[in-house]
Amino acid sequence: MEFRIARGEVFLRVIAILLLVLTAFLVVFDTQTKVVFLTIEKKVTYKDVDVLKILLYVSSSAAGYNMLQLCKYSCSSKGSYEMCMVWISLLLDQIAVYLTFATNTALFEAAIFAFTGSEAFQWLKVCNKFTRFCEQIAGAILCCYVASILMAMISIISAYKVFRMYSPKRFLRLKGK
């Protein structure tokens, strides 16, 4: 049973890493140039929107963190600090999920304003002019949400590992010694 859980966690981490890297690539390599007026061109990149830069940093960091967690399986050793490492792993998994989800949700909000505009703020509909850019960012948002869901599932597995250590049977057995 424990082997199946570990194998499932590795599978989820690999898929999450691939989706996070795909998100980063979709954001970084997304540019579009449009002629605004006669010979004046406007080029839009991820550097024009601050939340896209933040999403790039967060998704890259989360992919790197998940890669480090995968390395944990190749050099795992049973030691007295196992309980501490399981707690730290749960905490870091939670932080990665919440940061990724929050950043992606902020980007989704900015994308809604870019798509619909806002008359109250006098913001124009940007996606009418830069449709390919907006479509590629929408793909990045979708990939990052799926990665967030997968990382939430990984966090559930981490919580299971923590609370498994506090089972009543194990506590009673340790107390009896």
Side-chain angles (χ1 to χ4, degrees), residues 79-137:
S80 61
Y81 65 95
E82 182 181 1
M83 175 117 40
C84 180
M85 292 306 292
V86 171
W87 272 102
I88 290 171
S89 179
L90 172 65
L91 178 68
L92 291 176
D93 283 343
Q94 291 285 316
I95 290 171
V97 170
Y98 288 132
L99 275 177
T100 306
F101 186 77
T103 306
N104 201 34
T105 302
L107 176 61
F108 183 70
E109 181 183 2
I112 292 295
F113 277 126
F115 183 71
T116 61
S118 176
E119 290 183 24
F121 293 119
Q122 297 179 351
W123 289 345
L124 299 174
K125 297 178 184 180
V126 178
C127 287
N128 287 348
K129 295 184 184 345
F130 301 101
T131 55
R132 188 181 53 77
F133 180 81
C134 290
E135 289 170 356
Q136 197 162 337
I137 294 300

Side-chain angles (χ1 to χ4, degrees), residues 155-174:
S155 183
I156 290 170
I157 292 172
S158 293
Y160 172 76
K161 288 179 181 179
V162 167
F163 294 122
R164 183 190 67 200
M165 296 181 142
Y166 294 104
S167 71
K169 293 177 185 176
R170 181 174 176 167
F171 178 72
L172 292 174
R173 185 178 44 192
L174 288 176

Side-chain angles (χ1 to χ4, degrees), residues 3 9 19 25 37-38 41 47 49 52-55 71 86 95 100 102 104 108 110-111 117 123 128 144 147:
F3 176 72
E9 182 181 358
L19 286 170
F25 280 144
F37 183 74
L38 297 175
E41 292 183 344
K47 295 176 184 176
V49 183
L52 286 174
K53 289 189 271 188
I54 294 170
L55 178 73
C71 293
V86 171
I95 290 171
T100 306
N104 201 34
F108 183 70
W123 289 345
N128 287 348
C144 198

